[in-house]
Amino acid sequence: MASTIQIRVDDELKLKSDRLFKDLGTDTTTAIRIFLTQAVANDGFPFEIKKAGHNPYSAMTEEELLAKLEKSRNHLKEGAGREADFVLSEMRSKYGL
């Protein structure tokens, strides 16, 4: 016997998840079934869930910003920097963009 689970999600989330799972060769229903199967097999969520420690988008103080800029300048002096065009090209090659 099979049971039915109904959930409500935002239209945009449903559309994006349908596209994603189609690109991965499956559908949203199967992805949810896989999630549930893995949750039971792992006796919990099949991935780590944790509270965000630091929000990288939170505002920095002027002192923090200046410290990050100084660190960046030092990296450049040490030759650790790379040109943006090179990094973008590398990412496009790696991820097929």
Side-chain angles (χ1 to χ4, degrees):
M1 185 167 136
S3 296
T4 300
I5 298 174
Q6 293 182 343
I7 60 170
R8 291 195 184 280
V9 295
D10 181 87
D11 290 338
E12 186 177 348
L13 176 60
K14 173 73 165 79
L15 181 65
K16 287 179 178 181
S17 65
D18 286 344
R19 282 188 201 142
L20 170 66
F21 296 127
K22 182 178 180 185
D23 288 347
L24 294 171
T26 190
D27 57 37
T28 302
T29 300
T30 302
I32 292 169
R33 191 176 297 114
I34 291 169
F35 168 80
L36 294 174
T37 302
Q38 287 299 304
V40 170
N42 286 284
D43 199 23
F45 283 97
F47 46 81
E48 182 179 7
I49 296 179
K50 60 183 178 180
K51 186 173 145 184
H54 170 69
N55 180 355
Y57 303 107
S58 62
M60 285 187 272
T61 65
E62 183 177 355
E63 186 178 276
E64 290 171 324
L65 178 62
L66 292 173
K68 285 186 181 278
L69 286 171
E70 184 62 28
K71 184 176 179 181
S72 293
R73 287 186 190 107
N74 289 336
H75 278 211
L76 286 174
K77 288 177 187 174
E78 296 165 1
R82 296 184 292 168
E83 293 291 327
D85 289 339
F86 174 78
V87 173
L88 289 172
S89 175
E90 200 173 55
M91 289 175 65
R92 286 186 181 113
S93 296
K94 184 175 181 179
Y95 298 108
L97 303 173

